[in-house]
Amino acid sequence: MGVPLIDGATACDDVSMPTPGMPLPPSLIPDCTEPEAHRAAYRSAKTNDAIFVCVARQGRRWKVVLDAMTSSGPTIPDEAVTVLGSAAEALVLTDTVTQASIAPGYISLRVIETEQRAREIAAAFHAAMHGLRLLYTAVPSQR
C-alpha cells in the first residue's frame, strides 16, 4: 500500500514519477517519511527514467531530496549545479532551510518548517533540474 499524498494520491499506487522533462507539481511530490515509501518512489523513478524527488518528515520538520542518478538523461552540468547551489544558499540565508547539500545530480535540503513549504521547494528544484538539463542539452557548452 502506498503512502498518502495531498489530494488522496499515493506514492506507490496512483502516481508514478514523470518521464524526463515532466516535473511534478507540489501536490504530487511523494512523502517518503517511511522507508518503504522511499524505496517504492525511488524504484518508480528508476523504472520511469525520471529524476527522483521526495519530501520526508524529520521530527517536527521536513526535508527535500532529489536524485538525478535515477534518470539516464545527461548529467547536470557544473554551471547548472552553480545555479541550483545559489538558490539553495538563498534559502539558507533566509532561514527557510537550515542545511543544504548540492552536488551534481543530488540535492538535499533540510529542516524546513512545514510540509507544504517542503513540497513547494521540492517542486521548484525538480522543475529547475529538468529545465537546466534541457537547456544545457539544447545549448552546447563552448568549452
Side-chain angles (χ1 to χ4, degrees):
M1 179 173 164
V3 175
L5 299 175
I6 293 177
D7 299 328
T10 62
C12 305
D13 298 329
D14 300 332
V15 178
S16 63
M17 294 305 236
T19 56
M22 300 297 294
L24 287 173
S27 62
L28 294 182
I29 302 291
D31 178 343
C32 293
T33 300
E34 298 299 324
E36 58 274 3
H38 186 276
R39 284 190 293 276
Y42 195 86
R43 189 172 41 252
S44 176
K46 286 186 79 152
T47 299
N48 290 297
D49 196 27
I51 295 172
F52 172 74
V53 59
C54 77
V55 296
R57 181 181 288 279
Q58 287 189 305
R60 289 181 290 180
R61 305 282 197 280
W62 290 83
K63 70 176 179 178
V64 168
V65 176
L66 294 102
D67 186 344
M69 301 302 178
T70 55
S71 171
S72 65
T75 59
I76 307 294
D78 291 341
E79 298 90 350
V81 174
T82 301
V83 170
L84 295 167
S86 293
E89 183 178 330
L91 290 171
V92 170
L93 290 173
T94 61
D95 291 326
T96 303
V97 305
T98 303
Q99 302 168 0
S101 176
I102 307 291
Y106 185 82
I107 298 172
S108 174
L109 304 164
R110 297 175 184 273
V111 193
I112 302 167
E113 285 294 321
T114 67
E115 178 183 7
Q116 186 57 39
R117 188 65 176 127
R119 287 178 178 285
E120 292 166 357
I121 292 167
F125 274 84
H126 197 232
M129 285 180 87
H130 279 288
L132 289 168
R133 181 184 268 179
L134 291 171
L135 178 65
Y136 283 99
T137 299
V139 182
S141 174
Q142 295 297 320
R143 292 185 209 177

